[in-house]
Amino acid sequence: MRRRAGLAGAALLAGTVTGLAAAPAQAQEYRYWSFWQGKGSSWTYASEGPGSLRPADGAVVGFRFTVSADSAAAGKPRTAAGFGAICAHTPAEKGRKRIGVVVDFGTAADAPGGERPPASRTTCARVAADASAGEALAAVARPLRYDASALLCAVAGYPKAGCADPVGDAKEAPSASPSPGAAADGGDGGGPSAGLFGGIAVLVVLGAAAGWQLRRRRG
């Protein structure tokens, strides 16, 4: 009887894991600052947060205020990521590095109610040799505002309030979506993610299954 109950429990756990993996998530759109790295003249969504990424001299980083549910749909900076053009008039200096910084405040449609996005900025930040992308941003676009989780909320004071706020109604989307947002520290950029909660649930289920197996062997 105990063996049957154990098998039933294992089957239930397996079914729960399968269900979590297969079920579509409700992908909520958010209004947030996305973080990008320049690759030639184009942009690639950053795999690290601006606080942990330490670009080399000659790199270009971009920040775009956007509305999306994940990085695949995030708006890229609308200025080309060309270091030569951005830092042409900033000479090299011993012991320091030059980072091209593009700040795109997004469109009027993406702006919070009652606010208007400022004009985009393209600046060459000359910072310490070990400076992070976040420090390069702070050098040219203060004031910055972060939340308690080190998520970047405002650049040059925009927007005045809020941080990765939900926008509109949730809609069906695949659950395996990269997380949007620009976190000050490491990770995939931080920010809200509909797939995050499903991943935590799977870990809980797998932990319960492992615990049941251990108790069964001891018994």
Side-chain angles (χ1 to χ4, degrees):
M1 182 65 70
R2 179 180 298 177
R3 178 177 176 82
R4 287 183 179 178
L7 289 173
L12 177 61
L13 289 171
T16 305
V17 173
T18 303
L20 283 170
Q26 297 297 311
Q28 171 67 60
E29 288 190 318
Y30 293 85
R31 182 181 286 115
Y32 66 99
W33 279 100
S34 58
F35 176 42
W36 303 80
Q37 290 179 266
K39 301 290 184 183
S41 60
S42 61
W43 295 102
T44 299
Y45 203 92
S47 59
E48 293 183 60
S52 62
L53 180 67
R54 299 186 183 277
D57 180 77
V60 179
V61 295
F63 297 83
R64 166 73 188 267
F65 194 70
T66 187
V67 171
S68 74
D70 55 52
S71 60
K76 298 180 181 181
R78 291 168 291 177
T79 300
F83 176 80
I86 297 172
C87 291
H89 303 293
T90 304
E93 185 177 295
K94 187 176 181 180
R96 297 176 72 79
K97 63 184 178 183
R98 295 167 299 164
I99 307 297
V101 181
V102 174
V103 180
D104 188 332
F105 294 89
T107 66
D110 292 341
E115 294 200 56
R116 168 176 278 183
S120 297
R121 298 185 184 186
T122 303
T123 314
C124 188
R126 188 160 52 192
V127 292
D130 63 346
S132 67
E135 290 170 316
L137 177 65
V140 299
R142 289 184 181 273
L144 305 182
R145 178 167 54 84
Y146 291 93
D147 73 357
S149 301
L151 184 68
L152 181 62
C153 303
V155 176
Y158 180 83
K160 295 177 182 177
C163 193
D165 295 331
V167 178
D169 297 324
K171 54 188 177 183
E172 283 195 2
S175 58
S177 300
S179 303
D185 50 12
D188 59 2
S193 171
L196 175 64
F197 304 105
I200 291 173
V202 170
L203 290 177
V204 171
V205 169
L206 292 178
W212 173 81
Q213 289 284 358
L214 181 60
R215 290 192 300 271
R216 182 172 175 270
R217 288 171 184 168
R218 287 177 178 174

